[in-house]
Amino acid sequence: MPGDIRGASRRDGVRGTLRAVGLALAVCAAGLLLSALLTWVV
Amino acid sequence: MSGVLLRPGPEDLRLIGFYLGKVLLGLGLVMLVPLAVALWAGEWNSASAFAIGASLCLLVGALSDAVLSTRRQLTWAHGMVIVALAWLIGAVFAAVPMYLSGRFAHPLAALFEAMSALTTTGMSVIHDLDHTPLSEDTYRHLLQFAGGQGIVIVVLSLFARGGAQIASLYVSEGRDERILPNFIRTARFIFLVAGTFLVVGTVALTIALLTAGFSPGRAFYHAINLFFASFDTGGFSVMQASVAYYHSAAVEVVVMVLMIVGTLSFGLHFALWSDNPREVLRHLETRTLAVTSTAFFLVVGFGLLAAGTFDQTSAVFRKGFFTLVSAVSSTGHQVNDGTTYLTDWGVLAPAAIVGAMAIGGMASSTAGGIKAIRIGIAFRTLVHDIRKVLRPESAVVVTTYHAGRRRILRDDTSRAATSILLLFVGSYLLGTMAALAYGDHGIAEAAFEAVSVGSNIGLSIGVVHPEMPRGLMAVYTLQMWLGRLEFVAVFALVGYALSLARGKVRR
């Protein structure tokens, strides 16, 4: 489907949603890691 | 180029009125949902308020459709004026059932709440939020969804004859990234993404709330409202205590995920859907947010630990990181009482939160604030100027950045980014001065609240409350309106009004 949403399949939607959730979870994991690091340092 | 203003004619005003009528029709349809909830729940007082509000919107909308119908084409000026007025008039009409509910001290408070909803700010001045009827909570959260997804897009994608005319409206909303060539298709993609996350987010939140001990019905009700407030980066809450009410790490993590996903631009959502995930990592906006958010969180975490507010990793993450995500995404969900930012959080952490609120999220998303893309461009401009100074005069310096594709940094792009940045700073100053003028708050509280309101965030340190001074409420309402439309559409409206009064008549 690149460049055109008309051809978007359910699979594209599932994949896109999972990628977005994965990215957000990675950000949360980075936050947790930084929290642990800061607690240890300070 | 002539500097003479042309006076808009009756046909221009007719066109503007016609499209505003469409917006009111859409708003009237939105009100039918809480009306149905009120009838189902037996909330008769709320039902009558929604029936009156919906009738008013549908009547005015239908009248304008019948009387002002025109085939005249939209221009950029029309688009700007319609969008600026849509948010203002939309908020006025949206405030009608709120005021009639009797939960607001005066009409301005209801207007403040409606503007807060439509601009996805999330500040609330409602009385006794914890005992608000189901239908009124549904309405507040649904308004955020409508505002977040762009009420203009909602209405026009449903009613407009074609997509070409919508381009000018779409860009006026501060979402100038054309994801797809056709605006109707863009609007549909935006709703497809929102609809998918509505299902995923509500299910995840319901499960998290069930594990927190909620009954199934109550879990679903809280979940759907929390979804609207989180994904649309709005920040309203069913309970006065906001997300802190749930005392659940699982709920907080799901809300954080939704806030982060909500602050991703729809262009990047499109990249994730269309098998181009690397675009997310290469985009100037992602990189800017990654750098600024990491820096701000280091300051927040250090500040909280140094001040002795928290001493455990879990607390720094669940309070500090959550609040930072809430600020960057411009959502405004809170996991602690607002006054504790001042009394318990020390100095560094709240200062970093203010910085994060000022920057806000990504353009072309529901997030508010200056936007990471403008900060990134301002930084690239600085680098460009330094490179020019260091190179020989005859050297041609070209600076590039990645946003969808490799782009050359042009002077007009830099100028536009820095102008809007300065206007946001002006808005923050206006809100700070207004709060200081009433003498009830110190500079820290005044600045915190002004940045939060001006960036459409919604984190509150306690300045906003149901009994706050009306003048301050009016200034904050103006700030929310300006911030959501990123100033330009409002200035265009003022210019249009001036040309009505002083412009040269067309021959």
Side-chain angles (χ1 to χ4, degrees):
Chain A
M1 126 189 157
D4 195 341
I5 199 66
R6 275 180 303 186
S9 64
R10 191 172 293 173
R11 208 169 130 201
D12 292 322
V14 171
R15 220 163 32 188
T17 306
L18 284 177
R19 281 183 185 137
V21 171
L23 181 70
L25 283 172
V27 172
C28 291
L32 187 59
L33 203 68
L34 277 177
S35 302
L37 188 72
L38 279 166
T39 313
W40 180 68
V41 169
V42 183
Chain B
M1 191 176 139
S2 168
V4 177
L5 285 171
L6 280 179
R7 184 180 295 176
E11 275 301 305
D12 296 298
L13 300 179
R14 185 188 179 100
L15 182 72
I16 291 168
F18 176 70
Y19 276 99
L20 287 175
K22 299 282 188 199
V23 172
L24 290 182
L25 269 180
L27 189 59
L29 293 178
V30 167
M31 287 182 195
L32 293 180
V33 178
L35 172 61
V37 174
L39 293 173
W40 171 77
E43 296 165 350
W44 308 118
N45 181 46
S46 309
S48 57
F50 289 123
I52 293 169
S55 307
L56 197 63
C57 288
L58 294 173
L59 186 72
V60 176
L63 269 177
S64 78
D65 200 46
V67 177
L68 303 175
S69 181
T70 173
R71 288 192 165 271
R72 185 150 188 197
Q73 295 289 305
L74 277 175
T75 62
W76 284 96
H78 292 136
M80 291 276 184
V81 172
I82 291 167
V83 168
L85 282 174
W87 246 267
L88 190 63
I89 292 172
V92 170
F93 277 78
V96 171
M98 287 182 169
Y99 182 63
L100 291 176
S101 74
R103 294 189 168 269
F104 294 90
H106 42 79
L108 181 61
L111 177 66
F112 177 97
E113 189 88 1
M115 186 64 89
S116 176
L118 286 173
T119 57
T120 71
T121 305
M123 293 270 193
S124 190
V125 288
I126 194 168
H127 274 296
D128 198 13
L129 179 60
D130 290 352
H131 300 101
T132 306
L134 294 181
S135 56
E136 288 173 31
D137 264 338
T138 305
Y139 178 54
R140 291 165 67 246
H141 288 83
L142 208 58
L143 265 189
Q144 284 203 323
F145 187 67
Q149 299 304 303
I151 197 163
V152 175
I153 284 285
V154 178
V155 174
L156 295 181
S157 60
L158 289 173
F159 294 106
R161 293 188 198 99
Q165 292 191 18
I166 301 171
S168 57
L169 296 178
Y170 189 76
V171 178
S172 311
E173 267 184 82
R175 293 179 178 178
D176 54 358
E177 193 171 340
R178 296 180 190 195
I179 306 161
L180 299 163
N182 178 301
F183 284 87
I184 293 278
R185 286 206 338 255
T186 303
R188 281 187 190 143
F189 175 71
I190 288 172
F191 273 89
L192 203 55
V193 172
T196 309
F197 276 103
L198 171 65
V199 176
V200 174
T202 307
V203 169
L205 282 168
T206 304
I207 294 169
L209 287 163
L210 285 172
T211 60
F214 276 56
S215 64
R218 208 158 159 255
F220 177 74
Y221 169 69
H222 278 253
I224 198 154
N225 282 320
L226 255 183
F227 169 80
F228 283 143
S230 306
F231 180 76
D232 275 288
T233 65
F236 268 158
S237 178
V238 176
M239 308 306 293
Q240 190 71 46
S242 189
V243 176
Y245 173 77
Y246 304 105
H247 294 289
S248 162
V251 171
E252 287 162 22
V253 169
V254 178
V255 167
M256 269 196 277
V257 167
L258 289 172
M259 290 193 290
I260 293 166
V261 168
T263 202
L264 277 181
S265 72
F266 285 104
L268 293 185
H269 275 291
F270 184 69
L272 291 172
W273 276 49
S274 56
D275 228 5
N276 188 19
R278 281 188 61 201
E279 171 62 25
V280 178
L281 303 176
R282 290 160 67 196
H283 203 286
L284 174 68
E285 201 155 35
T286 317
R287 292 184 175 186
T288 306
L289 267 188
V291 171
T292 53
S293 300
T294 305
F296 280 132
F297 181 59
L298 288 174
V299 179
V300 169
F302 181 84
L304 291 173
L305 289 161
T309 316
F310 306 116
D311 58 3
Q312 289 180 330
T313 299
S314 61
V316 173
F317 176 69
R318 285 181 61 182
K319 302 290 182 188
F321 189 71
F322 183 100
T323 306
L324 184 86
V325 171
S326 184
V328 170
S329 65
S330 89
T331 309
H333 280 317
Q334 296 191 189
V335 276
N336 50 284
D337 188 87
T339 53
T340 57
Y341 295 129
L342 197 67
T343 55
D344 295 9
W345 276 45
V347 180
L348 267 181
I353 294 295
V354 170
M357 289 197 294
I359 292 178
M362 290 188 181
S364 303
S365 75
T366 59
I370 294 167
K371 308 278 171 20
I373 190 82
R374 296 201 177 96
I375 300 294
I377 285 173
F379 180 74
R380 297 299 292 166
T381 304
L382 190 68
V383 170
H384 178 81
D385 289 345
I386 292 169
R387 286 173 65 205
K388 262 170 75 174
V389 169
L390 294 177
R391 301 249 171 115
E393 263 182 52
S394 56
V396 177
V397 177
V398 177
T399 302
T400 60
Y401 62 97
H402 190 95
R405 57 186 162 80
R406 195 133 198 92
R407 294 166 195 258
I408 292 172
L409 183 68
R410 297 195 336 238
D411 281 349
D412 55 346
T413 310
S414 298
R415 198 170 50 242
T418 45
S419 299
I420 300 287
L421 194 153
L422 281 174
L423 286 167
F424 267 104
V425 173
S427 165
Y428 303 150
L429 283 175
L430 171 73
T432 306
M433 295 296 181
L436 289 176
Y438 282 94
D440 299 330
H441 305 284
I443 182 90
E445 297 157 89
F448 189 102
E449 212 83 343
V451 173
S452 182
V453 171
S455 285
N456 304 120
I457 309 285
L459 286 174
S460 177
I461 203 163
V463 177
V464 169
H465 59 84
E467 308 303 332
M468 67 189 283
R470 292 182 194 200
L472 186 56
M473 204 176 261
V475 171
Y476 282 173
T477 306
L478 175 70
Q479 271 192 281
M480 290 191 277
W481 184 47
L482 287 169
R484 178 64 179 89
L485 299 177
E486 301 190 332
F487 303 93
V488 179
V490 178
F491 291 166
L493 172 66
V494 174
Y496 208 73
L498 280 177
S499 65
L500 261 178
R502 294 166 46 190
K504 192 178 170 186
V505 181
R506 274 175 235 210
R507 293 178 194 280

